């Protein structure tokens, strides 16, 4: 593959990035080709030594999305980072997607439980309309509401901690796939 083919394939694979970022990356790879030419290498040898442009773009996209998550931890950024890291290799489908689904399930279950407990007084009032009033039901519902509020506070902290921990796991996995851990 010659220089133009390599850069075109790399550019096409990086369409998800902004034009400015793509140009910076392409300029870096043009410099790699220029340095290689100065050393007497052919375009073929340089492109072979650089690797597959599609794999390079997957690694660059994963790094970019992980950086976006660090700047703004939103659900969309986390999802994009997860899919970018999964895209680094088939092995990541199991290693990244499995824990991600498990963590999302735990977080959703925790929040659903907290919300259900907080809404307990509403259900107690609905029960009051349907059947006779029992003071125990009202106090029990208020106790559940208090427990739900504590659960919601705990889930807020747990969600933030799990998100940060999972982002660290994604970074670890991405660095492992890119070429092992650096000491």
């Amino acid at each position: 593959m010659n220089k133009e083919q390599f850069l075109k394939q790399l550019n096409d694979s990086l369409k998800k990035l902004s034009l400015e970022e793509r140009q910076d990356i392409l300029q870096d790879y043009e410099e790699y080709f220029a340095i290689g030419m100065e050393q007497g290498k052919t375009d073929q040898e340089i492109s072979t030594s650089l690797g597959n442009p599609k794999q390079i773009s997957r690694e660059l996209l994963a790094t970019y999305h992980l950086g976006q998550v660090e700047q703004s931890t939103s659900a969309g950024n986390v999802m994009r980072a997860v899919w970018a890291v999964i895209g680094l290799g088939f092995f990541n489908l199991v290693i990244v997607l499995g824990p991600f689904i498990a963590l999302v399930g735990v977080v959703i279950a925790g929040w659903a439980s907290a919300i259900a407990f907080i809404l307990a007084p509403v259900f107690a009032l609905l029960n009051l309309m349907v059947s006779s009033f029992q003071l125990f039901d009202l106090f029990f519902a208020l106790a559940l509401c208090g427990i739900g509020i504590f659960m919601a506070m705990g889930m807020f902290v747990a969600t933030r901690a799990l998100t940060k921990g999972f982002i660290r796991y994604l970074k670890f996995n991405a660095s492992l796939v890119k070429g092992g851990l650096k000491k």
Side-chain angles (χ1 to χ4, degrees):
M1 171 180 321
N2 65 25
K3 174 183 171 183
E4 288 76 27
Q5 292 170 331
F6 183 90
L7 293 176
K8 182 181 180 339
Q9 203 172 31
L10 184 61
N11 185 40
D12 291 344
S13 299
L14 293 173
K15 290 287 184 195
K16 295 178 182 175
L17 297 178
S18 70
L19 179 62
E20 191 174 294
E21 290 170 339
R22 273 196 327 255
Q23 287 175 339
D24 285 345
I25 291 169
L26 291 174
Q27 185 177 9
D28 289 342
Y29 280 91
E30 284 180 12
E31 288 177 19
Y32 291 142
F33 275 96
I35 292 169
M37 295 294 244
E38 288 175 3
Q39 295 173 349
K41 295 180 181 178
T42 65
D43 283 355
Q44 184 78 21
E45 292 171 330
I46 298 167
S47 65
T48 302
S49 69
L50 289 174
N52 185 343
K54 290 184 181 183
Q55 183 63 29
I56 293 169
S57 68
R58 282 189 216 116
E59 292 174 5
L60 291 169
L61 286 171
T63 303
Y64 171 77
H65 288 302
L66 287 171
Q68 290 295 103
V69 166
E70 285 183 334
Q71 291 176 2
S72 171
T73 308
S74 68
N77 283 344
V78 171
M79 286 299 295
R80 282 187 283 277
V82 166
W83 287 116
V85 172
I86 287 173
L88 290 176
F90 179 74
F91 183 67
N92 282 356
L93 183 64
V94 175
I95 299 300
V96 173
L97 194 57
F100 178 70
I101 291 172
L103 285 176
V104 168
V106 167
V107 168
I108 289 173
W111 279 107
S113 299
I115 291 169
F117 276 39
I118 290 171
L119 295 177
V122 173
F123 295 122
L125 291 175
L126 289 174
N127 186 32
L128 174 65
M129 288 183 211
V130 174
S131 65
S132 64
F133 177 72
Q134 293 183 8
L135 201 54
F136 175 77
D137 289 342
L138 180 63
F139 287 121
F140 188 69
L142 290 173
L144 287 178
C145 182
I147 292 170
I149 290 170
F150 283 121
M151 284 177 66
M153 291 187 308
M155 282 309 300
F156 179 76
V157 172
T159 301
R160 289 184 67 173
L162 287 173
T163 302
K164 286 181 181 179
F166 192 73
I167 291 167
R168 288 181 60 207
Y169 175 69
L170 285 176
K171 286 182 186 178
F172 168 77
N173 187 282
S175 67
L176 195 63
V177 170
K178 286 182 193 178
L181 297 173
K182 296 181 172 75
K183 296 179 182 178

